[in-house]
């Protein structure tokens, strides 16, 4: 029997405008489910934060639960549609990313195609985190 890669999803919207722009929680979930299925992975849990800014990770209960579950080894990948849904603050992004890596969890951004297993991927992810913070400000 083949062991599938276990993945979790994370979705977030902070404003009604994002919903109208096609970034609703349901739209994000659907995109992530399709992506995970296309990879042949197993979706083990979905996490969400609705109506919450991405600027401060400590104020997002869905993300905090994801981090706890990652430490318990529930999944090896966390998938989100794009980096700005995951973090809007470059320092938060770096801290969250570091915590997940310590737990053996890789982050996967569908739209940016992030691959943090490479030096270039880590550089691009850091730059994109800075852009997400700049857009937020």
């Amino acid at each position: 029997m083949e062991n599938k890669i276990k993945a979790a999803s994370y979705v977030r919207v902070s404003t009604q405008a994002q919903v109208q722009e096609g970034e609703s929680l349901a739209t994000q979930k659907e995109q992530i489910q399709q992506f995970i299925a296309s990879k042949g992975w197993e979706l083990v849990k979905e996490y969400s934060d609705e109506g919450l800014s991405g600027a401060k990770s400590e104020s997002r209960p869905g993300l905090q639960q994801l981090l706890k579950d990652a430490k318990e080894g529930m999944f090896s990948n966390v998938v989100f549609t794009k980096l700005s849904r995951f973090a809007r603050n470059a320092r938060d992004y770096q801290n969250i990313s570091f915590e997940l890596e310590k737990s053996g969890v890789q982050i996967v951004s569908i739209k940016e195609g992030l691959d943090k297993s490479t030096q270039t991927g880590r550089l691009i992810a850091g730059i994109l985190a800075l852009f997400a913070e700049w857009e937020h400000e």
Side-chain angles (χ1 to χ4, degrees):
M1 187 170 116
E2 180 184 327
N3 283 341
K4 287 188 172 186
I5 291 175
K6 294 183 179 188
S9 70
Y10 179 75
V11 297
R12 182 188 65 79
V13 292
S14 57
T15 67
Q16 186 62 31
Q18 289 171 335
V19 172
Q20 294 169 350
E21 293 168 3
E23 293 187 3
S24 71
L25 293 177
T27 301
Q28 291 176 57
K29 285 180 182 182
E30 182 178 328
Q31 290 172 356
I32 293 168
Q33 289 166 357
Q34 289 175 359
F35 178 85
I36 289 173
S38 76
K39 294 286 191 184
W41 299 347
E42 176 186 359
L43 177 60
V44 294
K45 192 160 180 184
E46 296 179 312
Y47 301 87
S48 65
D49 286 310
E50 184 173 0
L52 297 172
S53 169
K56 295 181 180 176
S57 63
E58 63 273 3
S59 64
R60 294 186 279 157
L63 180 63
Q64 293 305 312
Q65 186 62 52
L66 180 148
L67 293 171
K68 287 178 189 173
D69 292 347
K71 286 180 184 175
E72 294 178 12
M74 287 183 61
F75 46 85
S76 60
N77 290 335
V78 61
V79 181
F80 42 88
T81 56
K82 63 183 187 176
L83 190 67
S84 66
R85 301 299 86 222
F86 188 63
R88 282 292 210 181
N89 174 298
R91 182 180 306 262
D92 253 4
Y93 164 76
Q94 293 293 342
N95 291 340
I96 295 165
S97 181
F98 179 74
E99 287 302 314
L100 289 170
E101 287 172 13
K102 282 192 334 188
S103 299
V105 175
Q106 293 293 315
I107 63 169
V108 179
S109 173
I110 296 171
K111 292 188 178 167
E112 287 98 356
L114 290 180
D115 179 0
K116 288 195 58 196
S117 67
T118 68
Q119 186 178 23
T120 301
R122 290 187 296 277
L123 171 67
I124 298 299
I127 291 169
L128 290 172
L130 288 169
F131 273 111
E133 181 176 329
W134 176 76
E135 287 175 338
H136 173 72
E137 290 177 358

